[in-house]
Amino acid sequence: MITAERMAAVDENATALGVPRKQLMESGGNAAARTVRDVAAPDDSVALVCGRGNNGGDAFVAARFLDDYDATVHLLGRPETITTDIARENWAALERGEYDTRVVRDSRNLDLGDPDVAVDAMLGTGVTGALREPERSAAAAINESDATVVAVDVPSGVDADTGEAAGVAVDADHVVTFHDAKPGLDDWDVTVADIGIPEAAELFAGPGDRRVLTRPGDAHKGDFGEVLVVGGGPYTGAPALAAQAAMRAGADLVRVACPRAVAREVQGFEAGLICRPFDGDRLTPEDLDHVRALAAAHDAVVFGPGLGTHEATLAAVREFLADYDGRAVIDADALQVVPEVDTDATLLCTPHQGELRGMGGPSADDWRDRLDAVTDFAADIGHTLLVKGAYDVISDGTASRANRTGNPGMTVGGTGDVLAGMAGALLSTQEPADAATLAAYANGLAGDRIVDRQGYGLLASDLLPELPRALWGGRDE
């Protein structure tokens, strides 16, 4: 089962793996034609009603596999307004092949005739909301016909995630959907067609995972999260790196709660950091009123960078988590207390393999075995895990992913602090597993770009200016 948004991400990841979208369209169109052949009698007439996007493109392909039938292709709109290159190419192939193509410039003039089979290929899984013209009139015409109706991917007007329709929708007799079942299609006769998307497109983090990020033009300060980093004491660079990474990852405001003894030094790393220090030279239970008040005013907390392992500090971590019900990334020395604490917090834990063992977690040399073991451990402790390694593995106990960006140059100290800060920024607006997957992908991609450019010998701080493009993409991608 896969949601519409996740399906779009998997499509994009498949393209990044080298499977062209045009090839997927060819497979999808062939699958749609097979379903038509399953329901049509020899010499039946088939009317394919096509939108101007890739859903319509699937039907353009399907028409080429229906030569044994009396097929007509009805395009809702002018050919020059077809929205994608691959759909446009497949329309051109129909024209050059002298197929029966009809351009519907006015939905009031749509004449399907009296087809035995009608194919709905107007809108795919990525379109929601009430149908507008010309699709609304076309849907009504399909429903008024006596044809057997086959919908491509999803009946137009139906939300693939919920099965609901906001007004007129195509009343399909059969649906051929691609790659995996959609959660909203349980009430239809559905054929799930394998169109050749590799398993790796779902398993491995890729550029499609960036789709969860949005930046609306009417956004305001605070819409993209406020993050609190709690760390420092024995170490000052770790909380500063985490905080700067949270800023680079798009958080609107980042504050650092650190010991007053090191606050000036932490502040000196970046003018945009806001320090809210507590007394002393390390975190203790006496500082928790201050930290709790700050945490309550933030969307996510990054807890652990540079805290150290003093007994009083670990006691403070336990007490904080026991009372906290917000979102937090737990990293570094704070990780070891997580399995001991009963908490209502939503936690994203970012251990390397040694820290995972310190949490009582599993050890496995092969990343595939580690993925299975981490999934079980995440389910046991009830928190999301991002276990760092040559292949990062991510699991919330149910869904599991892997990430293979990154390189041996990233074994340098501080790269984990950058990852934790970025994960904190993402956790402030995204679900934990999505935040973990995207943080791992972008952190590793930033490191790969640096090593490609200069070779090994990178510093953790070198990652910071690369993070925005790794997260949001660039013109060269």
Side-chain angles (χ1 to χ4, degrees):
M1 195 76 73
I2 191 167
T3 66
E5 182 62 30
R6 182 68 193 138
M7 188 68 237
V10 170
D11 274 344
E12 188 171 344
N13 286 348
T15 301
L17 292 172
V19 182
R21 289 179 188 254
K22 189 172 183 180
Q23 181 175 322
L24 297 179
M25 182 174 286
E26 189 75 11
S27 298
N30 196 345
R34 285 199 303 271
T35 301
V36 171
R37 290 196 295 269
D38 288 342
V39 302
D43 300 320
D44 269 358
S45 59
V46 180
L48 299 99
V49 184
C50 307
R52 293 171 295 120
N54 283 344
N55 194 243
D58 294 330
F60 302 158
V61 171
R64 292 191 279 104
F65 290 94
L66 296 173
D67 284 343
D68 293 337
Y69 301 88
D70 179 15
T72 57
V73 181
H74 303 263
L75 173 63
L76 301 181
R78 293 174 288 111
E80 56 267 29
T81 64
I82 294 173
T83 59
T84 70
D85 290 341
I86 54 175
R88 196 176 303 114
E89 289 168 8
N90 278 301
W91 172 261
L94 293 181
E95 291 187 311
R96 287 193 294 268
E98 298 189 3
Y99 285 83
D100 187 351
T101 58
R102 306 180 186 184
V103 175
V104 182
R105 290 180 168 82
D106 186 334
S107 58
R108 293 172 296 184
N109 298 329
L110 174 63
D111 181 8
L112 298 181
D114 187 23
D116 299 296
V117 179
V119 176
D120 162 32
M122 294 187 290
L123 299 171
T125 57
V127 181
T128 59
L131 291 180
R132 297 182 291 181
E133 295 296 349
E135 289 81 13
R136 182 167 56 210
S137 293
I142 292 171
N143 292 342
E144 289 167 5
S145 74
D146 293 327
T148 299
V149 179
V150 174
V152 178
D153 217 11
V154 62
S156 294
V158 173
D159 188 310
D161 291 340
T162 67
E164 298 177 353
V168 176
V170 171
D171 185 13
D173 299 297
H174 308 277
V175 179
V176 54
T177 197
F178 304 136
H179 182 66
D180 201 351
K182 310 305 186 295
L185 299 183
D186 287 345
D187 293 336
W188 281 266
D189 175 34
V190 177
T191 298
V192 177
D194 183 350
I195 59 172
I197 292 176
E199 179 187 1
E202 280 202 73
L203 175 61
F204 292 119
D209 292 283
R210 296 166 170 157
R211 296 179 66 90
V212 299
L213 298 177
T214 58
R215 283 270 165 171
D218 59 353
H220 300 282
K221 183 179 290 187
D223 288 351
F224 305 107
E226 298 187 20
V227 176
L228 176 69
V229 176
V230 183
Y235 309 98
T236 56
L241 284 168
Q244 291 174 90
M247 296 176 72
R248 293 285 191 169
D252 284 338
L253 288 171
V254 180
R255 298 177 179 89
V256 181
C258 61
R260 194 174 303 279
V262 299
R264 185 180 296 275
E265 189 172 349
V266 171
Q267 173 71 73
F269 281 95
E270 166 57 46
L273 296 183
I274 303 169
C275 283
R276 294 288 183 261
F278 47 83
D279 291 333
D281 58 4
R282 62 172 57 89
L283 179 68
T284 69
E286 287 71 30
D287 304 310
L288 288 181
D289 286 346
H290 174 75
V291 173
R292 288 187 185 110
L294 289 172
H298 289 76
D299 299 295
V301 176
V302 179
F303 214 108
L307 277 180
T309 58
H310 192 280
E311 183 177 337
T313 298
L314 296 182
V317 176
R318 291 187 192 92
E319 290 186 33
F320 175 83
L321 292 178
D323 295 336
Y324 185 57
D325 61 1
R327 293 179 165 219
V329 173
I330 307 300
D331 187 47
D333 296 321
L335 286 163
Q336 59 191 286
V337 310
V338 169
E340 309 168 9
V341 181
D342 184 13
T343 180
D344 291 328
T346 298
L347 300 186
L348 166 52
C349 302
T350 57
H352 55 60
Q353 292 173 67
E355 290 166 334
L356 182 67
R357 288 192 294 271
M359 296 173 68
S363 176
D365 291 334
D366 184 85
W367 70 268
R368 297 171 187 82
D369 296 334
R370 195 180 317 126
L371 184 64
D372 292 337
V374 166
T375 300
D376 292 340
F377 187 59
D380 288 343
I381 66 173
H383 302 302
T384 300
L385 291 168
L386 191 178
V387 181
K388 297 171 285 192
Y391 278 46
D392 307 311
V393 297
I394 302 110
S395 182
D396 59 5
T398 303
S400 302
R401 304 287 304 284
N403 174 62
R404 51 187 179 178
T405 61
N407 59 78
M410 297 180 70
T411 57
V412 66
T415 56
D417 302 307
V418 171
L419 175 65
M422 182 163 40
L426 295 169
L427 185 63
S428 70
T429 60
Q430 307 298 328
E431 291 303 307
D434 291 336
T437 301
L438 188 49
Y441 173 76
N443 194 54
L445 183 59
D448 289 343
R449 286 173 172 161
I450 293 167
V451 168
D452 286 346
R453 189 169 62 242
Q454 70 178 37
Y456 296 130
L458 64 84
L459 304 176
S461 57
D462 293 337
L463 295 171
L464 298 172
E466 290 285 345
L467 294 183
R469 193 163 69 98
L471 270 176
W472 296 93
R475 295 182 183 275
D476 60 338
E477 295 183 11

